[in-house]
Amino acid sequence: MAARAYWQGQIRLALVSIPVEIYSATKTGAKISFNQIHEPSGKRISYEKVVPGIGPIDRDEIVKGFEISKGNYVILEEDEIEAVKIESKRTLELVQFVDACEIDPLYFEKPYYVAPADDLAEEAFIVLRDALRQAGKVGLGQLSVRGQEKLVALKPCGKGLLLETLRYADEVRKGQAFFTDIGADKPDKELLDLATSLIEKKTAPFDASEFENRYVDALRKLIDKKAKAKGGAKILEDADEPAETGGSNVIDLMAALKKSVDAEKPAGKTSGKTPAKRKTAGTRSASAKKKSA
């Protein structure tokens, strides 16, 4: 089944308009979600709209409100909300270009693939793609979707383009508020050199397929076993995780880093063998396994 376009319209650069189609670059089916079930009957639980002190109410009695203070709401009618929605324009105008490194990763929200809508659009599409690549720039604009306006960034992606929705400035928390209690002391030079050496040895090109979500894999196996089990038998499997131990002083850190550097092989330089898949949970550090002196 062909993917359904998230948005269809045109990208405009000055007087040039390029018809395009935008598709979601992520899949929701990879995640596992649960429903709440009434155990005695085996039926799914539904939810009633309830008002404290009143009980269940009819849906036609529900309106939208914004809380301006505790328990105080500004009530908005549907036609009032509709009146301020942005007109769904079919044009994404690129109004600014920036270096890719200028956009903090905190602002990136969701990726989409962009492809030319037809053969006639292909030439202009390729020119824009290669111009962005040659300049090393990312295009910025605002995309109107379902009455809302999304800030987006556009950059080359293989033979196509990648559009990423961005968070607006007021949607991002400033990190410094969480870092104020961290001291300003410089780390010990030998410790820093050891940690840097370890990072260099573990450096390799990023390949997402080398990482697996162990929790999702285990859930799928559990669901398969449970579906085949008779009488709804309970299935419990213990994960083999080493116990946490103490050991957080500088002597332990120095010894752990030295041991890690000596034991670590340079990434991607195994003796002709395919490297084992990495796990999302990661491996515990040597200091977690070493008892405190």
Side-chain angles (χ1 to χ4, degrees):
M1 183 177 178
R4 183 180 178 184
Y6 167 76
W7 186 86
Q8 293 175 306
Q10 55 189 5
I11 294 173
R12 189 165 65 199
L13 175 60
L15 300 178
V16 179
S17 294
I18 309 167
V20 297
E21 294 180 337
I22 297 176
Y23 299 88
S24 176
T26 58
K27 297 187 296 184
T28 57
K31 296 181 180 179
I32 292 179
S33 59
F34 295 101
N35 296 312
Q36 290 189 329
I37 306 299
H38 180 233
E39 188 174 14
S41 66
K43 295 181 179 181
R44 185 173 174 177
I45 295 173
S46 59
Y47 295 92
E48 287 186 305
K49 300 291 185 180
V50 177
V51 176
I54 297 175
I57 53 133
D58 294 330
R59 287 186 176 272
D60 58 7
E61 295 178 320
I62 299 174
V63 295
K64 292 182 179 179
F66 179 82
E67 189 173 36
I68 55 174
S69 61
K70 188 67 175 179
N72 294 315
Y73 302 88
V74 171
I75 304 301
L76 298 172
E77 301 292 340
E78 286 295 338
D79 56 352
E80 292 176 315
I81 297 173
E82 287 294 326
V84 297
K85 282 187 175 180
I86 303 297
E87 182 184 352
S88 294
K89 297 177 181 177
R90 290 295 174 184
T91 300
L92 167 59
E93 184 170 1
L94 299 180
V95 296
Q96 184 183 349
F97 296 89
V98 301
D99 292 332
C101 60
E102 286 187 47
I103 305 176
D104 193 302
L106 281 168
Y107 290 94
F108 289 108
E109 193 173 41
K110 190 175 179 181
Y112 294 86
Y113 294 129
V114 183
D118 50 44
D119 293 341
L120 293 176
E122 192 171 297
E123 182 181 9
F125 181 91
I126 291 173
V127 170
L128 173 61
R129 180 199 67 195
D130 289 358
L132 287 171
R133 184 169 281 140
Q134 184 170 305
K137 301 293 182 180
V138 172
L140 298 179
Q142 288 177 290
L143 187 70
S144 176
V145 182
R146 302 187 184 106
Q148 298 184 34
E149 203 166 38
K150 297 179 180 291
L151 177 62
V152 300
L154 190 71
K155 62 184 178 182
C157 177
K159 293 172 67 176
L161 291 168
L162 185 71
L163 179 143
E164 294 181 271
T165 55
L166 303 176
R167 297 178 178 90
Y168 286 96
D170 59 358
E171 297 179 275
V172 177
R173 290 177 175 174
K174 301 301 180 184
Q176 292 307 315
F178 303 96
F179 306 146
T180 52
D181 293 336
I182 299 176
D185 296 341
K186 298 291 184 180
D188 179 88
K189 186 179 185 306
E190 187 176 359
L191 289 174
L192 184 60
D193 289 344
L194 283 168
T196 302
S197 178
L198 183 58
I199 290 171
E200 289 173 350
K201 285 192 173 187
K202 294 176 77 71
T203 296
F206 174 68
D207 181 358
S209 65
E210 289 189 4
F211 297 83
E212 296 175 349
N213 191 326
R214 295 189 299 171
Y215 175 65
V216 170
D217 291 345
L219 268 181
R220 292 190 187 281
K221 290 177 182 177
L222 173 61
I223 291 169
D224 290 341
K225 287 182 181 180
K226 191 78 174 182
K228 296 174 183 176
K230 295 180 179 180
K234 186 174 287 189
I235 300 172
L236 296 177
E237 296 180 357
D238 294 328
D240 296 327
E241 288 286 350
E244 292 275 6
T245 58
S248 60
N249 57 46
V250 175
I251 297 175
D252 280 350
L253 179 58
M254 180 73 77
L257 282 172
K258 285 182 177 179
K259 187 174 181 180
S260 298
V261 170
D262 292 340
E264 187 64 37
K265 293 181 179 179
K269 294 184 179 180
T270 53
S271 56
K273 297 180 180 179
T274 302
K277 295 256 185 178
R278 299 187 181 109
K279 308 295 184 179
T280 53
T283 54
R284 295 189 183 279
S285 65
S287 60
K289 298 178 181 178
K290 187 177 179 69
K291 294 183 179 179
S292 58

